[in-house]
Amino acid sequence: MEVSIEQEKHVKSSSPSVFNLASVTELATPSSSVLPSGAVARFSAVARFSADSGFVELRIRRDSDSIDAFTIDLKKAQLFKLGSLHSICMFQVNDSNKEKSYSKGVSINFRNVEESSAFHTAFEHWEKEDAIQESHLPNGGVLASTSKFDSKIESSSAKMYFHYYGQLLHQQNMLQDYVRTGTYYAAVIENRADFTGRVVVDVGAGSGILSLFAAQAGAKHVYAVEASEMAEYARKLISGNPLLAQRITVIKGKVEEVELPEKADILISEPMGTLLVNERMLESYVIARDRFLVPNGKMFPGVGRIHMAPFSDEYLFVEIANKALFWQQQNYYGVDLTPLHGSAFQGYFSQPVVDAFDPRLLVAPPMSHVLDFAAMKEEELYEIDIPLRFVAAVGTRIHGLACWFDVLFNGSTVQRWLTTAPGAPTTHWYQLRCVLSQPIYVVAGQEITGRLHLVAHTAQSYTIYLTLSAKMWGPGADQGGIIQTSSCKLDLKEPYYRMSQPQAYTPQDQQPHPLMQSQDINIQADDLDDSDLLQPPQQN
């Protein structure tokens, strides 16, 4: 690809291209450096951004030489600010002889704060220009991306996703979820022993609040990785807390693509969406584990559980069914709308309901499906298949399956759970219910079986396939088969948000519901070694 003279002039005129550096030091490694292991080369240098070769490069040469000591492709480089006058540039180098690539780095010292700031601004500007030039071919086509994230997620969904989380009002909504934020704070501060003197990576840092918590707990250094424009707000927030800011570096980019100068002892993140898996950020969390976490490093959180139970809610069922009554009009300005009633009816039942419900609506004790973030493979999140089995505690009409989740912070000092269970203090996740368009009838003691099947799609969510069946109960049940079955297909991306604000919660007035007793979250550290916790439920 050629860069036109006009493009080159535009880039040069909009940002400085030449910088005098106080010193440059190669970060020597046994595998990549031309120097003996442990040796360093330190020299004063001139850095120049250039697009002469057809793509944007950072060229660094010694003051006394005319030959570049380093030629860095900005597409394969990351710049980290470690201090007011000190930065590190990590980049990929291709070994043509061995046909492989490895990371290399240079430590850069600036003469003053102004030059440091100008260099970082220029780096980001030239990086953006390179992305714009690279994405458009002469024939108007777009180059295919090699990013794993881009290969899984459609660009329109990603654009909306990062735009959403790049706005302060949505960050405020999450920060004001005091159950969420308070639990994270307690999990970090109560486990200072896990953070003190350790390197931490905050995956999807958002406003940077978790990075600040980690720094408060004594982290040696925190790398806050954030792909949306919220990274700029995070930098501003963190710089406004100078006692912590010196140990936090904000990195704008996707965890699938960025390079870090060192491995992490701990990963911290808030990757949970509705039903735990919505937005598919758990996959990025697992990828970050594989890329950045040292062996046997900790993950906060480290375990997630999806809980499920059948429910009965006649009011909710009627509310959804009545939405389609509009389409039963036979004379709407002279038009018969009834041909679309069936499609509208099914369409409303294809939306999972997100709200906070009374746990007394549950028909049977819940079961759970465990996701061990520290051990699972990313591919296991592409498709989640959960066999269901319940025993009805009452005779009633079952309208669907209720779901919620919790996550475990398995600290060395304190183990804490963050739960979204019905009856517990309400979070911004609420709970989720899959409503059947054809309810099934059960009597007390009757077995309910089925399957919850989640299939990931490119819009950063899942298609939900639910089937519930009621088996014969009583004399002759051994010879009888399934007598009722009802199924539905729902799109987790398009839920029906039934509530906009949390319900008031008064713990002293709320008595635990008998069916929720199995949902005891006071789990001891030794329990985590129990294979029953970290294994999916068995199908009977």
Side-chain angles (χ1 to χ4, degrees):
M1 182 194 75
E2 292 186 358
V3 180
S4 67
I5 295 176
E6 288 75 13
Q7 287 175 316
E8 177 78 4
K9 286 181 178 179
H10 169 70
V11 174
K12 288 183 177 180
S13 62
S14 56
S15 182
S17 60
V18 179
F19 295 85
N20 292 310
L21 307 177
S23 67
V24 171
T25 306
E26 179 182 3
L27 302 180
T29 63
S31 61
S32 65
S33 179
V34 297
L35 301 169
S37 178
V40 295
R42 185 184 182 92
F43 52 88
S44 59
V46 175
R48 181 170 69 93
F49 293 96
S50 170
D52 295 340
S53 61
F55 51 90
V56 177
E57 297 174 319
L58 171 60
R59 298 179 178 180
I60 300 176
R61 62 174 175 82
R62 300 172 187 265
D63 276 340
S64 57
D65 292 347
S66 59
I67 300 176
D68 295 329
F70 301 102
T71 301
I72 302 170
D73 184 352
L74 289 200
K75 294 192 302 297
K76 302 176 181 179
Q78 291 286 327
L79 184 64
F80 308 103
K81 189 170 187 177
L82 301 185
S84 58
L85 301 178
H86 183 205
S87 297
I88 289 179
C89 183
M90 301 296 298
F91 54 97
Q92 289 289 317
V93 177
N94 293 319
D95 188 333
S96 57
N97 295 327
K98 298 181 180 179
E99 296 184 350
K100 65 179 182 180
S101 64
Y102 51 81
S103 294
K104 200 171 183 178
V106 290
S107 174
I108 303 173
N109 287 291
F110 299 93
R111 298 183 299 183
N112 53 59
V113 174
E114 290 73 18
E115 290 185 359
S116 171
S117 177
F119 184 87
H120 277 263
T121 300
F123 188 97
E124 292 182 5
H125 178 84
W126 284 78
E127 195 174 33
K128 290 177 181 177
E129 289 289 342
D130 188 40
I132 293 171
Q133 294 170 13
E134 184 193 34
S135 63
H136 294 89
L137 297 175
N139 61 3
V142 179
L143 288 173
S145 172
T146 57
S147 166
K148 191 167 189 179
F149 178 91
D150 293 340
S151 67
K152 296 186 302 182
I153 304 300
E154 60 187 44
S155 60
S156 58
S157 175
K159 183 177 181 180
M160 292 178 62
Y161 174 78
F162 291 124
H163 174 73
Y164 179 91
Y165 285 107
Q167 300 180 64
L168 279 175
L169 65 96
H170 297 304
Q171 295 292 328
Q172 180 178 337
N173 178 50
M174 293 184 289
L175 290 173
Q176 288 183 314
D177 181 344
Y178 297 111
V179 176
R180 164 197 179 269
T181 307
T183 302
Y184 267 91
Y185 179 78
V188 173
I189 299 302
E190 292 173 349
N191 290 288
R192 289 179 179 272
D194 293 324
F195 288 85
T196 301
R198 306 294 175 84
V199 175
V200 180
V201 171
D202 183 357
V203 181
S207 66
I209 191 69
L210 300 185
S211 297
L212 290 162
F213 290 171
Q216 287 179 8
K220 175 185 175 183
H221 202 86
V222 183
Y223 296 97
V225 183
E226 172 57 40
S228 78
E229 294 303 317
M230 186 53 55
E232 300 304 322
Y233 290 107
R235 288 193 179 104
K236 189 173 184 179
L237 178 63
I238 290 168
S239 65
N241 293 266
L243 294 180
L244 303 174
Q246 58 188 346
R247 290 182 284 121
I248 303 175
T249 300
V250 178
I251 302 164
K252 188 176 187 299
K254 303 183 184 76
V255 295
E256 293 86 351
E257 301 171 5
V258 302
E259 296 292 336
L260 300 182
E262 56 187 326
K263 290 286 187 178
D265 302 298
I266 300 180
L267 292 188
I268 190 168
S269 182
E270 195 267 74
M272 301 89 72
T274 307
L275 193 59
L276 183 59
V277 296
N278 188 40
E279 296 178 340
R280 298 184 64 179
M281 189 180 165
L282 282 175
E283 295 167 39
S284 296
Y285 190 37
V286 171
I287 290 172
R289 177 203 69 192
D290 294 339
R291 297 194 66 207
F292 305 132
L293 192 63
V294 299
N296 301 316
K298 280 191 171 291
M299 300 178 73
F300 273 54
V303 173
R305 301 186 298 187
I306 301 174
H307 301 272
M308 301 144 286
F311 73 92
S312 179
D313 190 343
E314 197 71 38
Y315 290 104
L316 175 62
F317 177 80
V318 171
E319 176 186 332
I320 295 175
N322 283 348
K323 289 183 177 184
L325 290 178
F326 170 82
W327 298 96
Q328 286 190 329
Q329 298 179 79
Q330 295 179 335
N331 188 8
Y332 181 75
Y333 295 98
V335 177
D336 183 0
L337 300 182
T338 58
L340 296 181
H341 174 260
S343 298
F345 184 85
Q346 293 300 325
Y348 285 119
F349 279 95
S350 71
Q351 291 184 283
V353 177
V354 175
D355 68 351
F357 64 85
D358 192 320
R360 289 174 293 184
L361 295 174
L362 299 179
V363 174
M367 59 172 289
S368 62
H369 178 77
V370 177
L371 299 177
D372 183 0
F373 306 143
M376 70 185 307
K377 297 179 180 178
E378 175 209 350
E379 291 76 14
E380 293 176 42
L381 291 163
Y382 294 174
E383 190 169 349
I384 302 172
D385 195 29
I386 307 173
L388 305 174
R389 181 183 179 275
F390 309 97
V391 176
V394 295
T396 187
R397 193 158 82 140
I398 293 177
H399 293 102
L401 189 72
C403 306
W404 60 96
F405 70 86
D406 54 27
V407 294
L408 172 65
F409 301 92
N410 186 26
S412 300
T413 306
V414 177
Q415 291 75 46
R416 275 193 172 270
W417 287 90
L418 170 57
T419 182
T420 64
T426 306
T427 70
H428 78 284
W429 290 286
Y430 301 101
Q431 294 96 42
L432 180 136
R433 287 187 282 176
C434 303
V435 185
L436 298 167
S437 60
Q438 295 293 327
I440 60 176
Y441 295 83
V442 296
V443 297
Q446 190 169 7
E447 184 180 63
I448 305 161
T449 59
R451 188 169 298 275
L452 181 66
H453 189 198
L454 309 176
V455 180
H457 57 63
T458 58
Q460 287 176 277
S461 193
Y462 286 78
T463 302
I464 302 173
Y465 299 90
L466 171 65
T467 299
L468 288 179
S469 302
K471 288 187 175 182
M472 183 182 293
W473 180 81
D478 292 340
Q479 289 75 40
I482 294 173
I483 57 174
Q484 299 173 79
T485 296
S486 184
S487 299
C488 61
K489 176 183 176 181
L490 308 99
D491 187 356
L492 187 56
K493 180 80 170 182
E494 300 292 340
Y496 164 35
Y497 289 102
R498 198 170 179 228
M499 292 179 55
S500 59
Q501 295 294 330
Q503 291 177 329
Y505 176 74
T506 52
Q508 63 272 23
D509 297 330
Q510 177 71 53
Q511 296 298 319
H513 186 256
L515 295 183
M516 294 298 294
Q517 293 305 302
S518 64
Q519 185 59 32
D520 184 2
I521 62 175
N522 294 318
I523 293 181
Q524 302 299 317
D526 293 342
D527 294 337
L528 293 178
D529 296 329
D530 190 339
S531 59
D532 291 339
L533 174 63
L534 297 179
Q535 294 296 326
Q538 300 296 317
Q539 184 178 9
N540 293 333

